[in-house]
Amino acid sequence: LAAAMTAEKSKDSNDSQRLTALWEKRMREQTTNDYPIGPGDVIEINVPGMEEIKNMSERINGDGTLSLPFVGVIQVTGMTDKSLRDEIRRRLEEKYMKNPQINLFVKEFRSRQVAVIGAVQKPGLYNLASPFDTLLTMISQAGGMKVEAAERVLFVPAEPVESGKAAEIVKALPSQVV
């Protein structure tokens, strides 16, 4: 029994060290990378001096494109807000304006969703809003754990799925899980 308990503590310690190393690696990466834009995300854009692109709120299409007056269609999947701003500026400078000022803000990140299921108050699909969202953030968005929840959280990474398929997968889960 003592040997089993020692082995379990060693495993927990090893898991903790691996998790700490992973967290530190991702934090270093996040300081250099912005969050990529994808289908379903909503951006707000304002170009002073152009009434057609003033205070617009636009959703990225399912195919990852954005269509704006005078700018045309842009394939934005994987772009950051900075690279999208630069592309819009470049296209406007080509034909319409000298040094246009582009105000762009990603209002909603809907292209990255996670399913929070099980013993939480409000199981369902939740949006990752920033690269710093954690499992605890997602559980909190789901209203926190129920009183009868187990002491451990089971994390099951899912394979990437096509846009819109996550909701179908959650509906297909057994009712005991959801």
Side-chain angles (χ1 to χ4, degrees):
L1 183 63
M5 289 177 68
T6 303
E8 184 67 26
K9 284 182 183 177
S10 175
K11 181 183 177 293
D12 286 347
S13 175
N14 189 28
D15 287 347
S16 181
Q17 290 171 352
R18 287 183 23 227
L19 183 60
T20 301
L22 179 61
W23 174 258
E24 288 170 354
K25 177 184 176 218
R26 288 191 177 166
M27 291 308 291
R28 282 190 304 272
E29 291 172 355
Q30 292 304 330
T31 59
T32 59
N33 296 329
D34 288 330
Y35 206 62
I37 298 170
D41 293 348
V42 178
I43 65 160
E44 287 183 352
I45 184 164
N46 184 32
V47 181
M50 289 197 86
E51 289 299 317
E52 296 83 358
I53 314 177
K54 197 168 188 178
N55 300 321
M56 289 182 75
S57 185
E58 291 292 317
R59 184 173 305 280
I60 307 302
N61 294 327
D63 62 356
T65 60
L66 172 68
S67 180
L68 295 171
F70 298 107
V71 175
V73 177
I74 303 173
Q75 179 64 42
V76 300
T77 300
M79 292 178 109
T80 64
D81 56 343
K82 183 185 180 318
S83 59
L84 177 55
R85 186 180 303 113
D86 291 345
E87 178 62 15
I88 293 169
R89 179 178 289 115
R90 185 190 68 75
R91 289 185 183 201
L92 289 175
E93 281 181 329
E94 279 182 354
K95 297 180 183 177
Y96 302 103
M97 294 181 85
K98 184 177 179 179
N99 194 24
Q101 299 303 307
I102 315 292
N103 299 315
L104 186 135
F105 173 72
V106 181
K107 184 178 177 180
E108 295 177 30
F109 283 105
R110 295 203 149 225
S111 60
R112 299 186 185 256
Q113 292 186 320
V114 295
V116 181
I117 56 177
V120 293
Q121 299 296 329
K122 298 178 287 183
L125 292 174
Y126 292 90
N127 298 316
L128 293 170
S130 82
F132 302 106
D133 283 340
T134 64
L135 286 172
L136 186 57
T137 305
M138 297 295 98
I139 291 170
S140 295
Q141 284 188 22
M145 303 300 291
K146 289 183 177 179
V147 175
E148 64 270 13
E151 292 180 9
R152 292 184 178 239
V153 174
L154 177 61
F155 175 62
V156 182
E159 293 296 319
V161 294
E162 295 175 23
S163 181
K165 294 285 184 185
E168 291 177 32
I169 292 169
V170 170
K171 287 179 186 172
L173 291 170
S175 61
Q176 302 92 318
V177 176
V178 181

